Amino acid sequence: MKFDAVIVGSGAGGAAMAWRLSHAGMNVGVLEQGTWFTGADFSQEGWELEGHHRLSPVPSVRKGDLDMKVDSSSSDIEVSFFQAVGGSTNIYSGHFPRFRPEDFSRQSKLGVGVDWPIEFEDLRPFYEMNEIRMKVAGRVGDPSFPDLHYLGKEVPVGEAGNRMSDAFKKLGWHCWVSYGAFDTRVGSDSACKNLGPCNLGCPIGAKMTANNGYLDEAVRNGVEVLTKSSASELILKNGSISEVRVRKPGGQEFSVKADIFILAAGALGTAKLLLASNESNPRGLSNSSGQVGKNLMVHPLGLAEGLFEGSSDVSLGPKGSWMYSLEFGDFLSATEPGFMLQMLRGTDLVNAGRRLFRTNKLGPNSATPETLQRGKHSVGIAVVVEDLPNESNRIDLDFSTRDAFDLPGIRVTYRVDEPVRKALIKGLNNSRKILQEMGAQSTQGIGPVRGAGWHPSGTARMGNNPSSSVVDGRGRSHEIPNLYICDSSVFPTGSCLNPTNTIQAVSLFVAEGIVNGSK
Amino acid sequence: MDPNSLDTVGRAARSLLQTKDAALPDFLALPGVEDFLKMRLPEAPLPAEKLNDLAKLVDDDQTTQITAFLRAELPNLIEDCVDFYFSRTVVRDALGFESFPSGSEELTTWAGP
């Protein structure tokens, strides 16, 4: 099997890359360890149960048959991912901001972390392209993003959203309607209907994912997606990658050859593949810097919740793409990281039932529509903290376990440091103020939430210096000319903002370099 | 799967989830419960002695101690039972929930800063 380019991983970055290369007339193959998920997979009997089990983002809860094995027992945060065509975008919230210009220069501006080898302006045209492809909806005029112009009609925030906005106004804090990757075009067959359980997958295709945003069209252009196909090792020959070995469930193996190899398996999968490709070097491929697998960042998260009297429309609409605040988003110093507040719509029936059970309140006449309609009178605020790269936060190969492809797993080591803890406390306290200002009867806050490592990044970072980075500013390996990476593993720092828009902008940027280089 | 384990644990879960509200169904009567428990319970989850202890607590309707026992011995299972109970269509119907949200096109847009 031979392609012009083979991409490992079909998530946010891999799908955008496949689409761009296919439009350049290249013959492209995509290797995906998981399978296709469609609308029919998402709306099932007991849909909330699915969200806490089969469709959970947490691998130890989901226990997917085709999942990479991940041991997070040595980690304060369990890293999440979703193994399927389209990757984690199948179950993400669709919250779709950009990174800000200052997020690319922490070292030169503040003396912390490292700088990106590229600037926001390098990515600007690719953000714009991506936001059009992903039908990003929102409102122009946000002081945090004054240059955003091409936005779809915003997803309505409802009466509860306006009350939230009023609370922020009274406190004098920034708040804006979220940028959401949702089709809100009037008259569109897949227009968002505010069903709500978007994080379980959208059954009508209103939530934009790697699939409907890029991969479906890439496949129509001739891209071949090989599912249940796990890349086990890249083979180096005469200084370039000559082939990638691939495993099927049960261990059957075959090889795929290409001129160019692009890794898009996420911060976990990409680093794992590089470390496992150790036939020619025990440290793995493209790892003279020793940085592969290190500098894992995850956006430690706290969660505040408020309960209100009476019910409202708060449970209707995309749960995790509602409103957001960057009032405390500035990274001030090594001891004062910034954090985003991401407001969340009301919780689901299963969670409401769990809370009754955990607080020993499940008894005669307690499971009533009123108590269980918690979603209609609860509001959440997620505190998403920017963590800095730290070499001791890392992934390593774990040979004590094997997945369905008879491949080793990975072990995650991650510690929440003191500045992040303090930021979480500050964020939760401020969140409770907001909820109280909204009129909450009671509030609570927890953090760091263990099962909320939704934004892993940093494990194969880009940089200008080959001694401290894995790829250059164009996503190309410093050591291997036909090897590229186009996922969040290349992030030198992670901002406090959701990464998907930036992953895809970086991928399109890297793709442009590949296309121009091939002319 | 030891049918005694399934039966005992199932009865224990029922005793914790039965709200004694006539509108709500018995956990063990929900469609799919047996298959659900078979999937969730590992092989031989509890030694015979502990299973007997649990069965006695269930027979004596010692709800608080059942909760403590299951949380200590099968913590993930009891959460799973709660999830399963509240996610079933018959429970949703009894509580007046829609089986799947129908959504709304009537939400108000943001009034602005």
Side-chain angles (χ1 to χ4, degrees):
Chain A
M1 200 177 284
K2 170 86 166 45
F3 297 96
D4 295 329
V6 68
I7 303 168
V8 179
S10 66
M17 174 65 70
W19 172 85
R20 181 63 188 94
L21 297 187
S22 71
H23 272 287
M26 292 174 75
N27 178 22
V28 179
V30 176
L31 300 173
E32 169 53 52
Q33 183 157 326
T35 58
W36 290 94
F37 268 73
T38 66
D41 293 302
F42 295 137
S43 54
Q44 301 285 335
E45 162 76 13
W47 58 271
E48 287 151 334
L49 189 68
E50 302 285 84
H52 292 281
H53 294 282
R54 184 177 69 94
L55 296 175
S56 169
V58 184
S60 65
V61 172
R62 183 173 68 239
K63 298 186 176 66
D65 292 340
L66 300 175
D67 283 358
M68 166 173 50
K69 295 288 187 202
V70 180
D71 175 4
S72 292
S73 58
S74 302
S75 176
D76 291 337
I77 308 282
E78 183 161 1
V79 181
S80 296
F81 62 93
F82 195 72
Q83 204 104 61
V85 178
S88 300
T89 65
N90 284 288
I91 57 166
Y92 79 151
S93 65
H95 196 242
F96 219 76
R98 300 175 176 181
F99 283 5
R100 301 155 298 180
E102 60 265 36
D103 290 333
F104 293 79
S105 53
R106 290 277 176 259
Q107 174 57 227
S108 51
K109 295 271 168 52
L110 293 170
V112 299
V114 293
D115 283 351
W116 290 56
I118 57 176
E119 295 176 350
F120 175 87
E121 286 304 318
D122 293 314
L123 293 183
R124 181 193 288 277
F126 302 97
Y127 273 127
E128 289 173 358
M129 186 195 312
N130 192 47
E131 284 149 5
I132 291 171
R133 287 291 311 177
M134 295 294 280
K135 299 187 176 68
V136 176
R139 182 179 285 212
V140 169
D142 183 355
S144 290
F145 292 100
D147 296 339
L148 266 170
H149 298 297
Y150 310 112
L151 292 170
K153 175 172 156 299
E154 67 194 66
V155 177
V157 300
E159 176 271 336
N162 280 312
R163 276 198 289 136
M164 168 71 76
S165 168
D166 288 343
F168 271 89
K169 205 185 305 184
K170 283 180 193 156
L171 290 165
W173 292 347
H174 168 261
C175 173
W176 206 261
V177 65
S178 285
Y179 302 102
F182 297 93
D183 183 357
T184 57
R185 296 171 298 170
V186 175
S188 165
D189 287 341
S190 57
C192 179
K193 293 181 174 53
N194 300 305
L195 292 175
C198 318
N199 288 54
L200 305 178
C202 179
I204 64 171
K207 185 176 80 172
M208 298 305 294
T209 66
N211 295 355
N212 59 6
Y214 285 106
L215 206 54
D216 292 347
E217 184 172 315
V219 168
R220 290 194 295 273
N221 287 348
V223 169
E224 189 172 345
V225 178
L226 287 78
T227 58
K228 293 188 182 181
S229 299
S230 184
S232 60
E233 193 172 5
L234 296 159
I235 304 301
L236 190 68
K237 191 174 176 182
N238 299 325
S240 293
I241 305 295
S242 60
E243 64 187 73
V244 53
R245 292 200 183 128
V246 185
R247 291 258 184 104
K248 301 294 272 184
Q252 175 207 351
E253 205 167 66
F254 61 97
S255 282
V256 177
K257 295 182 191 301
D259 297 324
I260 298 171
F261 295 80
I262 303 154
L263 306 188
L268 304 186
T270 285
K272 179 192 171 202
L273 180 57
L274 289 173
L275 291 171
S277 301
N278 52 13
E279 194 176 89
S280 53
N281 186 332
R283 290 174 79 170
L285 271 185
S286 194
N287 197 21
S288 296
S289 65
Q291 296 298 302
V292 172
K294 294 179 184 170
N295 307 301
L296 174 67
M297 296 169 283
V298 300
H299 282 170
L301 180 146
L303 184 61
E305 190 189 44
L307 285 181
F308 299 81
E309 229 179 73
S311 64
S312 76
D313 57 8
V314 68
S315 61
L316 297 175
K319 181 180 168 70
S321 186
W322 185 32
M323 308 189 79
Y324 89 109
S325 169
L326 280 178
E327 180 65 29
F328 310 99
D330 290 338
F331 201 107
L332 300 175
S333 69
T335 54
E336 293 178 276
F339 55 86
M340 172 186 62
L341 299 180
Q342 183 175 347
M343 277 61 91
L344 308 173
R345 296 178 188 272
T347 193
D348 57 66
L349 169 64
V350 165
N351 256 325
R354 277 186 180 187
R355 287 207 179 95
L356 278 181
F357 183 77
R358 281 183 195 159
T359 53
N360 294 319
K361 286 177 182 163
L362 195 64
N365 303 316
S366 64
T368 65
E370 183 54 33
T371 55
L372 290 167
Q373 293 268 17
R374 193 181 177 96
K376 290 193 175 178
H377 49 257
S378 70
V379 167
I381 301 181
V383 180
V384 182
V385 183
E386 177 175 351
D387 48 342
L388 286 176
N390 181 330
E391 281 195 13
S392 57
N393 291 333
R394 57 191 291 155
I395 71 120
D396 296 286
L397 294 177
D398 179 5
F399 294 96
S400 69
T401 182
R402 295 268 159 176
D403 62 15
F405 303 83
D406 196 28
L407 291 172
I410 60 168
R411 185 177 302 110
V412 175
T413 305
Y414 183 92
R415 292 288 170 232
V416 175
D417 63 24
E418 198 53 30
V420 168
R421 279 190 199 280
K422 285 187 174 163
L424 281 170
I425 291 169
K426 180 179 174 182
L428 289 170
N429 285 340
N430 287 346
S431 296
R432 293 174 78 173
K433 271 189 200 156
I434 294 159
L435 295 166
Q436 284 154 5
E437 193 63 50
M438 275 181 81
Q441 284 181 299
S442 66
T443 65
Q444 61 176 6
I446 56 168
V449 177
R450 182 178 161 71
W454 295 322
H455 303 154
S457 67
T459 52
R461 67 187 182 190
M462 56 166 52
N464 290 323
N465 187 346
S467 68
S468 59
S469 58
V470 178
V471 297
D472 64 18
R474 279 290 186 181
R476 189 185 207 183
S477 162
H478 287 300
E479 301 165 44
I480 302 169
N482 68 340
L483 178 65
Y484 294 81
I485 305 178
C486 68
D487 59 32
S488 61
S489 61
V490 304
F491 287 8
T493 55
S495 176
C496 60
L497 288 150
N498 310 68
T500 310
N501 195 2
T502 302
I503 290 170
Q504 293 184 314
V506 166
S507 182
L508 292 168
F509 175 71
V510 172
E512 209 58 34
I514 292 172
V515 168
N516 290 333
S518 67
K519 284 184 184 154
Chain B
M1 172 58 62
D2 177 1
N4 290 331
S5 302
L6 194 154
D7 175 66
T8 302
V9 174
R11 287 193 300 132
R14 175 174 67 182
S15 74
L16 295 177
L17 287 164
Q18 185 60 33
T19 65
K20 300 183 176 56
D21 183 330
L24 293 175
D26 178 348
F27 175 69
L28 287 180
L30 293 175
V33 149
E34 184 170 325
D35 286 340
F36 162 77
L37 283 175
K38 281 179 181 173
M39 206 163 50
R40 292 286 187 263
L41 278 172
E43 287 297 326
L46 292 171
E49 189 181 304
K50 290 214 171 186
L51 206 55
N52 287 338
D53 290 343
L54 178 60
K56 193 166 185 321
L57 291 175
V58 172
D59 289 341
D60 293 345
D61 203 20
Q62 298 287 336
T63 310
T64 306
Q65 292 182 51
I66 291 170
T67 307
F69 184 101
L70 287 176
R71 283 205 169 119
E73 302 294 337
L74 296 167
N76 291 334
L77 172 70
I78 199 56
E79 290 262 317
D80 287 354
C81 286
V82 174
D83 292 354
F84 182 89
Y85 182 76
F86 287 107
S87 70
R88 292 293 94 180
T89 298
V90 282
V91 177
R92 298 180 71 85
D93 287 349
L95 292 169
F97 281 78
E98 296 170 10
S99 58
F100 192 78
S102 59
S104 163
E105 296 173 17
E106 306 296 327
L107 294 187
T108 55
T109 54
W110 187 41

